[in-house]
């Protein structure tokens, strides 16, 4: 299996232009990923026409490097200004921003960089070795399994709602209702659209996310700006030491494996992988009350998982021509434009291309680690810029980010509305992440639940007679019950 | 916090009630299986919100009644509402302005307004930041990413 990877590396090393494109791709990806509102999909979609004239290897060098870089780049703003650059970095805000607030932004960024890079490398190694086995397993997924997977993803809300699970679940239900706006996925009847055509395809995700994360943060900064002279704590660009790295390494490896597996399931991307890995790391931690306060494992887990999902998402794309997420959908378009047909035949007829893809992804993750670590000092410097300047810049980026997805002013107003909702929720101590998670998973849960009901003629037996469904649903129940139990124990501990 | 939790629960109940009223107006196609029509999913979620809100009220009721006046936490300070309200108004007016005069002019105006609002005295910052930020973003989106930004109805 590794001989394929070696062949791919030899092929890549023989062309210096591929290297240059990879470095350019990683830097562009990190920059675009770090900008709130700009996603890796958007970056790849924009760069795809640029690659038309290139040979396949060079084209993939650019696209795959942007893909890996952008997924990592999302964590930079998540850590520095509590605004995830991409949806998959939403879980990184919990501990990343908390650590940055304690003046250890450098440590948080180094943890995120190393975890992302190692997670990505592990997923590429998995991609080259067990791709056919994983692809076969995910082929067994039908509507009931997808529904159960979505429910399992939603159950994580209980785990991330630290202080009050009931309020977290309420926010989750609110998010699910928001996700139900638009055309009914089964019968195409409009729901809660108020006659607006912009709402027929639902509330756009990017404006919602920018509204819930970026705007409330700016409003809070505004409050503190007038109340006191805001002086940042001493910001250190000190990286993590070897002992700390060793302590998070098992979490990185475990989260990377989870991320690769979840990424391989079509429809479940880096965001679900990140939340799941965070939840798992928290569940297994000896001192899980430290999560949310700047715990290194709380940064390592989501970052390793979301970058590992890149390799995972390539598994169904290359072996079955099924894109695992929107990024790989763009890549699928790229493959077809280049005259390549993904699927089992690609492995036999165009093995050199497949090997090059493996090698490019591996090297892109290595470059990402090197460039990311070298850039930490510059990223951290962003924190020393006065808030009076940062707030208008973030607001300008929020406006442009929410506009650019659909070229719609309506989306900017959506951002403002969710900015107000996010601010009120922040003041009422209601966590907003469940809303984001629910909006991502809501359509998947509803569509597949209803499809399953149609498949089984309205019979609910699919909930208990399909093994994979039963496993996911049991895990969901376990997550909620164990979170309730832990909250009770925590409250008892606090009152003592 | 107990009183805030009760207020939050009441707001969520109101929201759920609104969703229930609105979902009553959603048509149900005859071809849909009886088990799950178009309005069923949001209705189920609304009932879920009501149940959770009631749990929140019940679990906080006793504490809210016994909470001492000086221990009560306020959700919003009057000053905060004013500060954030002005900020929000600046953003809102800038977006409305963007429809007419385009991205660059509206965002320059927004940045200038915020710098004055934040009482920035440094003249270099007052001149450079509002011009450089929108222009840099405009160049990146328009020329590098090929994403058109609004040019405004007046300059169309």
């Amino acid at each position: 299996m590794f001989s394929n990877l070696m062949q791919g590396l030899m092929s890549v090393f023989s062309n210096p232009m591929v290297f240059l494109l990879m470095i350019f791709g990683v830097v562009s990806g990190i920059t675009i990923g770090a900008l709130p509102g700009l996603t890796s999909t958007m970056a790849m979609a924009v760069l795809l026409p640029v690659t038309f004239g290139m040979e396949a290897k060079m084209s993939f060098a650019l696209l795959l490097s942007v893909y890996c870089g952008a997924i990592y780049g999302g964590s930079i703003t998540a850590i520095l200004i509590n605004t995830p650059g991409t949806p998959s970095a939403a879980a990184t805000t919990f501990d990343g921003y908390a650590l940055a607030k304690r003046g250890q932004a450098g440590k948080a960024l180094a943890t995120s960089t190393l975890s992302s890079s190692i997670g990505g490398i592990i997923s590429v190694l998995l991609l080259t070795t067990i791709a056919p086995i994983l692809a076969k397993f995910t082929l067994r997924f039908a509507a009931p399994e997808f529904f159960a997977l979505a429910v399992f993803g939603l159950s994580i809300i209980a785990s991330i709602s630290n202080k009050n699970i009931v309020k977290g679940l309420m926010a989750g239900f609110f998010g699910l209702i928001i996700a139900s706006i638009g055309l009914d996925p089964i019968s195409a009847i409009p729901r809660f659209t108020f006659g607006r055509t912009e709402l027929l395809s639902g509330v756009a995700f990017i404006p919602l996310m920018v509204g819930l994360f970026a705007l409330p943060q700016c409003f809070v900064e505004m409050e503190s700006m007038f109340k006191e002279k805001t002086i940042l704590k001493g910001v250190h660009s000190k990286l993590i030491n070897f002992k700390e790295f060793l302590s998070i390494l098992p979490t990185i490896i475990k989260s990377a494996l989870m991320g690769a597996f979840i990424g391989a399931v079509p429809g479940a991307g880096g965001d679900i992988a990140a939340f799941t890995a965070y939840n798992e790391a928290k569940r297994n931690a000896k001192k899980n009350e430290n999560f949310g306060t700047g715990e290194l494992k709380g940064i390592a887990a989501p970052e390793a998982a979301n970058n590992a999902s890149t390799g995972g998402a390539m598994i169904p794309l290359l072996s079955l021509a099924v894109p695992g997420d929107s990024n790989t959908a763009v890549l699928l378009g790229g493959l077809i434009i280049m005259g390549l047909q993904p699927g089992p035949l690609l492995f036999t007829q165009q093995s050199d291309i497949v090997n090059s893809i493996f090698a490019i992804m591996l090297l892109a993750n290595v470059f990402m680690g090197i460039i990311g670590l070298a850039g930490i000092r510059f990223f951290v410097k962003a924190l020393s810029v006065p808030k009076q300047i940062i707030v208008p810049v973030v607001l300008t980026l929020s406006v442009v980010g929410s506009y650019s997805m659909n070229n719609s002013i309506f989306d900017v107003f959506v951002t403002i509305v969710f900015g107000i909702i996010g601010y009120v929720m922040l003041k009422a101590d209601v966590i907003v992440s469940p809303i984001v998670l629910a909006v991502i998973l809501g359509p998947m849960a509803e569509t597949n639940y209803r499809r399953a009901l149609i498949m089984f003629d309205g019979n609910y037996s699919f909930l208990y007679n399909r093994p994979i469904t039963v496993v996911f649903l049991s895990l969901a129940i376990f997550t909620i019950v164990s979170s309730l139990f832990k909250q009770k124990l925590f409250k008892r501990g606090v009152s003592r | 916090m107990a009183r805030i939790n009760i207020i939050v629960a009441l707001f969520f109940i109101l929201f759920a009630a609104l969703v229930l009223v609105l979902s009553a107006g959603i048509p149900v196609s005859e071809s849909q299986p009886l088990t799950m029509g178009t309005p069923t999913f949001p209705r189920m979620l609304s009932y879920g919100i009501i149940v959770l809100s009631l749990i929140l009220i019940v679990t906080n009721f006793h504490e809210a009644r016994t909470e001492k006046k000086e221990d009560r936490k306020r959700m919003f300070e009057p000053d905060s509402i004013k500060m954030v309200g002005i900020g929000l108004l600046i953003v809102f007016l800038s977006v409305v302005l963007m429809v007419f005069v385009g991205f660059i002019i509206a965002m320059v105006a927004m940045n200038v307004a915020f710098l004055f609002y934040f009482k920035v005295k440094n003249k270099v910052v007052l001149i450079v930041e509002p011009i450089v930020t929108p222009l840099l973003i405009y160049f990146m989106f328009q020329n590098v990413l090929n994403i058109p930004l609004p040019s405004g109805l007046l300059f169309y």
Side-chain angles (χ1 to χ4, degrees):
Chain A
M1 294 285 184
F2 285 109
S3 62
N4 296 343
L5 189 61
M6 288 311 291
Q7 278 175 17
L9 283 170
M10 298 283 275
S11 158
V12 170
F13 281 123
S14 65
N15 191 345
M17 195 59 197
V18 172
F19 268 104
L20 287 176
L21 281 169
M22 280 170 69
I23 293 169
F24 173 75
V26 168
V27 173
S28 312
I30 293 174
T31 313
I32 291 170
L35 296 175
L38 296 186
T39 60
S40 48
T41 316
M42 191 180 177
M44 284 164 68
V46 166
L47 283 173
L48 189 61
V50 180
T51 64
F52 286 169
M54 298 178 186
E55 64 171 272
K57 226 185 293 174
M58 285 159 73
S59 158
F60 278 111
L62 183 63
L63 291 175
L64 292 170
S65 307
V66 169
Y67 180 26
C68 296
I71 298 284
Y72 156 68
S75 70
I76 297 171
T77 36
I79 289 168
L80 295 179
I81 55 171
N82 198 24
T83 305
T86 54
S88 57
T92 312
T93 55
F94 305 149
D95 285 276
Y97 183 62
L99 196 59
K101 270 204 303 194
R102 278 166 33 192
Q104 297 182 36
K107 190 175 274 190
L109 286 168
T111 307
S112 141
T113 310
L114 287 171
S115 310
S116 299
S117 184
I118 296 170
I121 291 168
I122 289 174
S123 80
V124 177
L125 296 178
L126 272 177
L127 171 70
T128 52
T129 49
I130 57 165
I133 306 162
L134 269 177
K136 263 185 199 167
F137 179 70
T138 55
L139 256 185
R140 290 185 206 161
F141 277 46
E145 283 75 24
F146 280 119
F147 165 69
L149 179 67
V151 172
F152 172 54
L154 287 168
S155 70
I156 291 161
I157 289 172
S159 168
I160 58 175
S161 312
N162 268 338
K163 293 178 194 162
N164 196 323
I165 292 176
V166 175
K167 274 158 91 175
L169 290 173
M170 281 160 69
F173 276 63
F174 172 77
L176 286 170
I177 290 178
I178 298 299
S180 73
I181 294 174
L183 290 179
D184 170 8
I186 301 291
S187 64
I189 294 172
R191 280 188 301 209
F192 315 124
T193 55
F194 307 103
R196 301 286 312 198
T197 48
E198 295 95 335
L199 288 175
L200 283 177
S201 53
V203 174
F205 183 66
I206 299 293
L208 175 131
M209 203 186 71
V210 171
L212 285 177
F213 283 103
L215 260 57
Q217 197 58 43
C218 289
F219 296 150
V220 170
E221 297 299 346
M222 277 180 209
E223 284 178 8
S224 61
M225 234 181 264
F226 290 100
K227 277 181 190 161
E228 75 232 38
K229 188 105 180 124
T230 46
I231 301 162
L232 280 162
K233 276 185 182 178
V235 177
H236 305 292
S237 52
K238 208 173 133 187
L239 311 182
I240 57 168
N241 59 40
F242 190 65
K243 201 177 158 194
E244 284 168 330
F245 173 68
L246 281 182
S247 73
I248 59 167
L249 193 59
T251 309
I252 294 175
I253 295 169
K254 193 176 167 190
S255 306
L257 294 173
M258 284 175 74
F261 176 73
I262 293 171
V265 177
D271 32 20
I272 299 173
F275 274 108
T276 312
Y278 181 84
N279 177 55
E280 191 52 30
K282 190 178 171 184
R283 207 173 57 80
N284 275 334
K286 279 178 194 159
K287 290 181 179 175
N288 66 6
E289 63 272 16
N290 287 352
F291 275 71
T293 61
E295 170 67 47
L296 288 183
K297 285 178 185 167
I299 304 168
E303 279 308 304
N306 64 24
N307 269 79
S309 73
T310 57
M314 295 295 288
I315 295 169
L317 173 75
L318 293 177
S319 51
L320 306 163
V322 175
D325 59 9
S326 51
N327 297 296
T328 38
V330 177
L331 279 175
L332 178 65
L335 278 165
I336 292 166
I337 288 166
M338 279 167 238
L340 303 166
Q341 184 54 51
L345 283 179
L346 187 71
F347 284 82
T348 51
Q349 291 174 354
Q350 305 273 353
S351 58
D352 56 325
I353 296 287
V354 177
N355 295 342
S356 299
I357 289 175
F358 292 160
I360 287 165
M361 283 200 80
L362 185 78
L363 289 172
N365 280 296
V366 174
F367 285 153
M368 189 183 78
I370 297 166
I371 294 169
L373 285 175
I376 285 176
R377 259 191 308 161
F378 302 104
F379 304 146
V380 168
K381 281 226 167 102
L383 273 184
S384 54
V385 178
K387 286 180 181 174
Q388 282 88 340
I389 296 172
I390 284 193
V391 169
V393 172
V394 173
L395 287 171
T396 311
L397 278 171
S398 301
V399 169
V400 77
S402 43
Y403 172 84
S404 60
M405 204 63 203
N406 299 316
N407 291 345
S408 161
I409 294 279
F410 181 82
D411 282 351
V412 186
F413 287 113
V414 169
T415 300
I416 295 175
V417 170
F418 279 98
I420 298 168
I421 293 172
Y423 176 69
V424 174
M425 285 190 158
L426 193 77
K427 289 287 164 184
D429 216 12
V430 181
I431 185 168
V432 293
S433 310
I435 302 176
V436 177
L437 197 62
V439 171
I440 295 170
L441 292 172
M444 184 174 162
E446 186 193 0
T447 311
N448 287 296
Y449 178 68
R450 292 173 65 184
R451 261 188 211 147
L453 275 176
I454 294 167
M455 276 167 67
F456 289 82
D457 293 324
N459 192 326
Y460 291 90
S461 61
F462 67 86
L463 292 172
Y464 52 83
N465 67 7
R466 294 174 73 96
I468 301 170
T469 310
V470 171
V471 168
F472 278 127
L473 290 178
S474 309
L475 280 172
I477 294 167
F478 178 73
T479 304
I480 295 173
V481 173
S482 65
S483 301
L484 281 167
F485 188 65
K486 273 177 194 164
Q487 192 193 348
K488 225 170 194 179
L489 278 180
F490 179 71
K491 274 188 179 166
R492 207 176 285 169
V494 168
S495 64
R496 269 181 198 170
Chain B
M1 203 65 212
R3 287 170 73 89
I4 293 176
N5 283 346
I6 290 174
I7 295 168
V8 168
L10 292 173
F11 267 103
F12 269 95
I13 289 174
L14 269 178
F15 171 75
L18 183 72
V19 173
L20 284 173
V21 170
L22 289 172
S23 61
I26 298 173
V28 181
S29 114
E30 283 178 14
S31 60
Q32 286 179 6
L34 286 172
T35 43
M36 197 78 182
T38 305
T40 315
F41 189 63
R43 265 184 212 154
M44 277 163 50
L45 297 168
S46 304
Y47 291 131
I49 286 184
I50 292 170
V51 170
L52 287 167
S53 303
L54 291 175
I55 293 173
L56 196 64
I57 291 173
V58 169
T59 50
N60 283 275
F61 192 71
H62 177 70
E63 199 185 320
R65 277 187 64 185
T66 53
E67 211 171 32
K68 284 178 190 165
K69 227 177 183 180
E70 56 269 24
D71 292 340
R72 281 179 199 167
K73 203 179 151 190
R74 290 181 81 155
M75 202 162 145
F76 297 103
E77 296 295 330
D79 282 354
S80 305
I81 296 176
K82 198 177 137 194
M83 287 165 206
V84 174
I86 293 172
L88 200 60
L89 192 69
I90 294 173
V91 177
F92 181 79
L93 291 177
S94 307
V95 177
V96 174
L97 192 69
M98 192 163 82
V99 178
F100 298 101
V101 298
F103 175 80
I104 295 179
I105 298 175
M107 289 301 110
V108 168
M110 185 177 90
N111 278 271
V112 169
F114 269 116
L115 291 180
F116 274 111
Y117 180 46
F118 297 153
K119 295 183 179 128
V120 174
K121 299 265 164 58
N122 189 324
K123 281 179 187 159
V124 180
V125 173
L126 273 172
I127 295 167
V128 174
E129 194 279 330
I131 296 171
V132 170
T133 306
L135 278 180
L136 208 67
I137 292 173
Y138 186 82
F139 172 79
M140 206 176 109
F141 274 76
Q142 200 87 20
N143 296 27
V144 182
L145 300 172
N146 282 324
I147 297 168
L149 293 178
S151 49
L153 292 173
L154 296 178
F155 304 102
Y156 192 68

